[in-house]
Amino acid sequence: MVSARRKAVESLYKGLCTVKVWKEVEDPITHATTHKEVPLFTDQKCKLSFEKQTSTTPTGGPAVIAQTTKLFIAPELDIPAGSKIIVSQHDKTTEYARSGEPAVYMDHQEIMLEAFERYS
């Protein structure tokens, strides 16, 4: 049974995400093993949250502005490090890489993301 608290958290989810991993796959015909991008989870409800952080240097130089991106998703999903996470939210689709360990709570987990460049 899903708790009322979890239903409330998930009512805020406005996006869908697909989690992909890079792994060895054996061709059933040739039995050759190659690396391919394989979907782990598809169309999972989620929410992206953005936070801007501004800092100045002690020498009075220009301010540095950075943006952090956090993914809110169901707590039972085990998303391994190095996964590619493709999120569609508000008519925009963006690819991210998972960075850091997730903060897992009773009703959701929070995963810090970075823009995807390549598999590590």
Side-chain angles (χ1 to χ4, degrees):
M1 183 171 143
V2 177
S3 71
R5 186 173 47 236
R6 181 166 176 173
K7 285 181 183 179
V9 169
E10 289 181 350
S11 72
L12 300 173
Y13 292 179
K14 302 299 180 198
L16 291 175
C17 74
T18 297
V19 178
K20 295 183 176 184
V21 293
W22 187 255
K23 64 187 274 187
E24 289 182 350
V25 177
E26 183 180 324
D27 185 293
I29 297 169
T30 64
H31 300 288
T33 302
T34 59
H35 284 88
K36 291 188 178 182
E37 195 175 80
V38 178
L40 190 59
F41 304 109
T42 56
D43 295 331
Q44 295 294 313
K45 288 186 168 189
C46 64
K47 177 185 181 227
L48 283 178
S49 174
F50 303 97
E51 181 179 317
K52 288 188 181 176
Q53 300 168 336
T54 307
S55 64
T56 58
T57 60
T59 59
V64 176
I65 299 173
Q67 177 174 286
T68 57
T69 306
K70 190 184 298 186
L71 178 73
F72 291 79
I73 195 163
E76 65 273 3
L77 300 177
D78 184 20
I79 300 174
S83 300
K84 179 192 280 188
I85 301 173
I86 304 162
V87 181
S88 296
Q89 180 174 292
H90 303 304
D91 297 324
K92 183 177 179 184
T93 301
T94 309
E95 293 183 352
Y96 295 97
R98 175 189 169 205
S99 62
E101 288 300 312
V104 181
Y105 301 99
M106 186 184 320
D107 301 313
H108 72 286
Q109 66 177 307
E110 299 174 9
I111 301 173
M112 299 304 291
L113 301 176
E114 293 178 1
F116 182 83
E117 293 177 24
R118 62 181 173 80
Y119 283 104
S120 23

